[in-house]
Structure formats: C-alpha cells, structure tokens
Amino acid sequence: MKNQFNVIAIAFLIALGMVACGEKKQAKEEHSHDHDHAHAGHTHSHDAVTFADGSYSVDLSKSYIRWVGSKIVGDEHYGKLSLKSGEVAVASGSMAKGSSFVIDMNSIVVEDIPADNKLNGKLKGHLEADDFFGVKKFPTAQFDIKEVKSVQKGKVEVTGDLTIKGITETITFPAQLMSHDGSIHAMADVTFDRTKYGIKYKSGSFFDGLGDKAINDEIQLEVHLFADKK
C-alpha cells in the first residue's frame, strides 16, 4: 500500500512539473511575441548603406511622426504628426548637414482615444492650444540638421536645431538609415524636453502639488522618413 502511494505521489509531481514547464514556456513565448510586436517596424538589416550625393525630396505621403506624451504615474496619450515639407542633403554617400524638415502642427492626430469619442477632440484641442503647441500662432515646427556622425553600419548620430513655438534648441539622437532601391528610409527615436520650448503645463519642474496629475517634461517621437532623389 505504501509503495502504491509513493508511485501515485511521484506521478503527481511529474505531471505538476510538466504543467509548470508548459506555463513557463508559454509565458516566455508570449513575452517574446510582445517584444517583437513592440518593436515592429524597427527590425532592419544593419548593413552599411550609401546613397548618391545630391538633394532628396521627402515623400510626404509616406513619412510620418508618432508622438507619445505621458503622466508621471504612467498614463499616456499617443498619435501622429505629418510633415509639411522636407529635403535631405546627401554628401559622401550619407545624410548630411543642410537637411531640413518642416512639421505641420495642424496635423496633430490622437490615436489612443476613438475618433468618435468627444475626449479625442478635447485632447486634440488642448494640444493645439497655447498651453501646449499654440498652433494658431505657430502652425509649423522645424528641424535643421547640423551634423551627422557615422556610428556603425547603417546607424548614425544626428545633431540639429529643433524649433517649436519660435524657440530653437539643439538636440542629438541616434538614427538608422536604409536604402530602398536608392530611395532613403530613415528612422529615429527622438526625445525632447517640452519645457525648453515654453510648454510648462502641469510640469512638476515648475509647479508643486500636482501629484498624479503631473505630466512628464519629455515627449517621445518616433520618426519615419522617406525621401527620393530629385
């Protein structure tokens, strides 16, 4: 009887172990899937790319900017912006000083709230108001490249002047360059401090006692740029 009990106990432990292993494997697979999904669009070959020297016009129908703004507690809003115009200068086979891009601030789109929800229009209106980007007075923002350094195959470090609400600040960020049959595809993750452009609404750096209503000073941008040679 004792031996029979031991056999049953061992079988139960083996089965329990198999279930646990299966759960761990499933969790790992789900995590891996989420990770791949989060970085979709950012997985590209890191092979060195070169372009024909000259001027390239930005393809406004393909290019876009994703934006993310968040509260200190972690709640966030996100959406898109469009470019109004842009030109890429290429020298020695790579993007170079002289490249310039104009952002259409009237193109702000909110994506985390359904378009038919009145809160979507309320947030969009607030972002367009003087508390934030003041698009009526400042309908465009601009980025002018001052320097591009090669970091490794297909990757560069970009330094330039970002102008928002008539205020210009120099920022530096990494970017990835790819060639699509000679056309340029560039991607970059850019972070800038909104308070440096006079956007201090609910900033914990300037106002006390905001608690969980405080909004992060940093705004994140994910830039997707496509350009064709003139």
Side-chain angles (χ1 to χ4, degrees), residues 45-49 150-156 175-178:
S45 171
H46 291 176
D47 293 340
V49 292
S150 178
V151 177
Q152 63 184 59
K153 293 180 178 180
K155 291 190 175 182
V156 296
Q176 187 170 323
L177 302 179
M178 291 151 284

Side-chain angles (χ1 to χ4, degrees), residues 29 40 78 84 86 204 208:
E29 288 175 349
Y78 57 87
K84 187 171 184 177
D208 297 325

Side-chain angles (χ1 to χ4, degrees), residues 55-132:
S55 295
Y56 291 67
S57 294
V58 170
D59 187 334
L60 302 180
S61 66
K62 292 182 180 179
S63 302
Y64 62 92
I65 300 171
R66 291 190 181 278
W67 59 266
V68 177
S70 60
K71 289 184 178 180
I72 299 296
V73 296
D75 294 339
E76 66 178 28
H77 291 292
Y78 57 87
K80 278 185 180 181
L81 278 165
S82 300
L83 293 174
K84 187 171 184 177
S85 64
E87 183 172 304
V88 179
V90 173
S92 300
S94 182
M95 183 181 290
K97 176 182 178 180
S99 301
S100 183
F101 314 96
V102 177
I103 303 164
D104 181 3
M105 297 307 296
N106 281 296
S107 70
I108 294 174
V109 174
V110 175
E111 294 186 321
D112 63 289
I113 303 173
D116 58 354
N117 188 321
K118 65 180 181 179
L119 293 178
N120 183 298
K122 184 177 180 180
L123 176 57
K124 176 179 169 63
H126 196 187
L127 292 174
E128 294 174 341
D130 292 340
D131 278 346
F132 275 90

